[in-house]
Amino acid sequence: MHHHVAFLQRGLGDDEKLMALSIFAFYVGLDPDSPIAAAIRTEAGS
């Protein structure tokens, strides 16, 4: 699995990586109040 994720990441720009992280977080049920979700939101705002 790591190989496939690394392959995907090489083909994405920074904005696309951020969008992918947001989508993955949604699908895995990341708590919106978690520090990781906050970091994603902070990065998206910059």
Side-chain angles (χ1 to χ4, degrees), residues 5-38:
V5 172
F7 178 79
L8 173 67
Q9 285 182 330
R10 283 192 298 270
L12 298 177
D14 289 341
D15 288 343
E16 294 166 321
K17 287 178 187 176
L18 184 56
M19 284 188 280
L21 279 174
S22 297
I23 292 166
F24 294 152
F26 172 79
Y27 277 106
V28 300
L30 184 66
D31 182 354
D33 297 325
S34 73
I36 295 171

Side-chain angles (χ1 to χ4, degrees), residues 15 18 22 37-46:
D15 288 343
L18 184 56
S22 297
I40 291 171
R41 284 192 302 276
T42 300
E43 188 65 29
S46 59

